[in-house]
Amino acid sequence: MRARDLGIAIGEDEPGPRNAITDVAGVLVGHSTLVEGTDVRTGVTVIVPPETPLFAGCHRLNGNGELTGLEWVRESGLLTTPIGITNTFSVGVVRDAIAARSADDLWSLPVVGETYDGFLNDIRAQRVTADHVQAAFNAASADVAEGNVGGGTGMICHEFKGGIGTASRVVNSFVVGVLVQANYGRRSRFQVDGVRVGELIGDRVPTPQPREEWGSIIGVVATDAPLLPHQCDRIAQRVGLGVARMGGTAAHTSGDLFFAFSTANRDLTPERGEVALRMLSDGEISPFYDAVIAATEEAILNSMLAAETMSGRDGHTVYALEGALLAEVLRRS
């Protein structure tokens, strides 16, 4: 189930045909999901751009997390590899596997993000391998699975089962797509399109073992609008406003890290000479901010609605947000 199956349409812009980050032409997403025994609940998600390098930017809302390669992105304004997302303790192996795939290019600083799945997953066992990364690439397609898949397998969002979610918006003939790995937030702060549904649901759905705050969230934006690196930074920053509208606070323990890239300008590594570029006027960029905020909200909600109740390490169980219950509290609000 997705938000639009319940009649929930956030924002004014229409989504693309898939309502996914892959509505940006050439972008693919793949997952490798590990569910083994009673204590392995993890995986890898990859976002594959149509080519590299591409102009890119990033933003840190709260830095208790990891998204590798950002110093070179800030320095050069370029994304040079596909993007990986996994659990906190598997960043290294995913980064190394992506670097190995890029060996023929001689130069790469992979971008790999993480959120912590140790409540449901035996994270210290570090079960993710290079073979799982390769499997995610092999599975990459324009059809994006959501919920308990890939890097989102063991994640929790607003004390419901969370994971991978995506959404898109069409703005002035351009496409903006967002993909999140959502693993943050208290139920009491959970909102949908401004309605405090977390308070309305309360304890009708059991909560996981209480803790000060769940963290974190990785958000990736892709667009075919012709943005330069400084504009990609500004687009990435707006993911945080979508998280805030859902009730996220970027708590001290949270890693809220966001990335954006544009597929419009290509052939960015000539050996010499000038490069002809396209750029969206800064005077036209505000509608894209609106689109990122709305698509982020919907992607987070999709991650929760697509997820299923899961039990894992030490008998812990995290319950799904049922669409029928959400629809009921929204009707009554």
Side-chain angles (χ1 to χ4, degrees):
M1 180 172 290
R2 309 186 81 197
R4 302 228 165 201
D5 297 328
L6 299 174
I8 301 171
I10 298 171
E12 298 177 354
D13 299 305
E14 290 298 314
R18 297 184 181 87
N19 196 12
I21 194 172
T22 53
D23 287 327
V24 179
V27 175
L28 304 176
V29 173
H31 305 295
S32 180
T33 302
L34 284 72
V35 176
E36 302 171 0
T38 60
D39 61 355
V40 177
R41 306 286 186 270
T42 194
V44 182
T45 294
V46 294
I47 301 169
V48 186
E51 67 175 64
T52 55
L54 296 171
F55 283 143
C58 54
H59 180 73
R60 180 191 70 246
L61 185 61
N62 195 70
N64 196 344
E66 182 65 271
L67 189 59
T68 68
L70 295 192
E71 289 306 318
W72 181 240
V73 173
R74 294 186 184 102
E75 179 76 17
S76 68
L78 295 173
L79 171 66
T80 59
T81 70
I83 299 166
I85 318 177
T86 187
N87 73 65
T88 306
F89 289 2
S90 296
V91 170
V93 68
V94 175
R95 182 204 174 280
D96 291 349
I98 293 176
R101 288 176 54 88
S102 307
D104 290 343
D105 298 330
L106 298 180
W107 170 252
S108 66
L109 284 173
V111 173
V112 178
E114 55 78 26
T115 59
Y116 186 81
D117 59 12
F119 187 75
L120 289 171
N121 175 53
D122 182 5
I123 192 170
R124 294 186 181 278
Q126 296 179 289
R127 298 294 184 88
V128 174
T129 69
D131 288 342
H132 297 124
V133 180
Q134 183 59 51
F137 278 103
N138 292 344
S141 76
D143 296 320
V144 185
E146 297 173 293
N148 303 3
V149 293
T153 301
M155 303 305 169
I156 302 165
C157 189
H158 288 289
E159 299 180 287
F160 298 97
K161 187 66 186 69
I164 298 293
T166 189
S168 70
R169 296 293 185 272
V170 178
V171 184
N172 300 332
S173 79
F174 295 114
V175 179
V176 175
V178 175
L179 183 140
V180 299
Q181 182 164 293
N183 187 55
Y184 76 95
R186 292 184 181 177
R187 183 172 301 181
S188 59
R189 298 192 181 111
F190 175 41
Q191 301 184 115
V192 173
D193 206 16
V195 178
R196 298 180 66 91
V197 295
E199 290 182 348
L200 297 173
I201 293 172
D203 60 3
R204 294 174 64 180
V205 178
T207 59
Q209 176 182 334
R211 53 186 287 183
E212 180 62 26
E213 186 71 85
W214 297 101
S216 313
I217 182 168
I218 300 292
V220 178
V221 183
T223 184
D224 57 6
L227 304 184
L228 298 188
H230 75 282
Q231 295 173 312
C232 290
D233 286 341
R234 299 176 77 191
I235 287 287
Q237 188 177 43
R238 270 59 187 187
V239 175
L241 296 180
V243 174
R245 280 183 52 85
M246 294 294 289
T249 62
H252 169 67
T253 56
S254 193
D256 306 295
L257 303 171
F258 313 133
F259 195 89
F261 65 91
S262 167
T263 64
N265 288 291
R266 309 287 184 95
D267 301 320
L268 296 178
T269 56
E271 294 183 1
R272 60 184 63 85
E274 297 182 355
V275 179
L277 300 177
R278 298 166 56 214
M279 173 184 168
L280 183 74
S281 166
D282 281 338
E284 300 293 329
I285 203 168
S286 290
F288 291 85
Y289 296 161
D290 297 340
V292 170
I293 295 166
T296 298
E297 287 185 76
E298 191 164 326
I300 293 169
L301 186 55
N302 284 340
S303 79
M304 301 167 72
L305 290 170
E308 299 176 350
T309 297
M310 175 174 279
S311 296
R313 184 179 69 86
D314 295 336
H316 294 161
T317 297
V318 181
Y319 292 88
L321 172 64
E322 297 294 340
L325 176 59
L326 177 60
E328 175 192 331
V329 297
L330 286 172
R331 283 195 303 269
R332 293 183 177 182
S333 65

